[in-house]
Amino acid sequence: MVLGRRAAPLAAAAVLLLVPALAGCSDGGGSSSGQGTTTAPAMVGPADPVAAKAQISRNWTAFFDPKTPTSERIKLLENGEKMAPVLGAFAADKTAGMASAQVRAITFTSPSGADVTYDLLVGGSPALPGAKGTSVLQNDTWKVSVKTLCGLVQLSGAQVTGC
């Protein structure tokens, strides 16, 4: 019967520990303080962030690769068809013709947006290390944002309609 004498204090201790924990999980009974209410956490990124990061990195690398044809770059740029003249002006710059990018970090800002930290390389050497840009999900493809391209065009000193 020693177990019986120990069981009562253990049960009491369990009740004292569980009641506050369970109360925190209740629906709050209409409490306006927000305590005890459970809501789904806001979705910050896409449903599959690993796949999205891989696609962003792959698409940014291809977009900034001088060997990627303009027709492919258009597909990797937000509103690419509309922005073709801006892309053409960017590609015509002799420095841009030697540029490439290495994605360093991706942080999702929404299910369809991400901040991208990348190194812009010219001839393999860092020209803009730690540059900041954005990527947007458009038509199920993560693309380089118009904002990013226009920022680079402005850095080159070019005046292009559309930016």
Side-chain angles (χ1 to χ4, degrees), residues 5-21:
R5 279 188 249 158
R6 288 186 189 167
L10 288 175
V15 168
L16 290 174
L17 291 173
L18 288 175
V19 169

Side-chain angles (χ1 to χ4, degrees), residues 87-97:
L87 183 57
F90 177 72
D93 182 80
K94 66 180 180 177
T95 304

Side-chain angles (χ1 to χ4, degrees), residues 10-71:
L10 288 175
V15 168
L16 290 174
L17 291 173
L18 288 175
V19 169
L22 292 175
C25 295
S26 74
D27 68 358
S31 167
S32 63
S33 70
Q35 283 187 328
T37 58
T38 56
T39 57
M43 187 173 201
V44 175
D48 188 348
V50 173
K53 284 183 177 186
Q55 187 183 83
I56 290 169
S57 187
R58 190 172 50 248
N59 290 353
W60 274 60
T61 300
F63 180 81
F64 287 103
D65 185 341
K67 296 175 191 157
T68 301
T70 302
S71 61

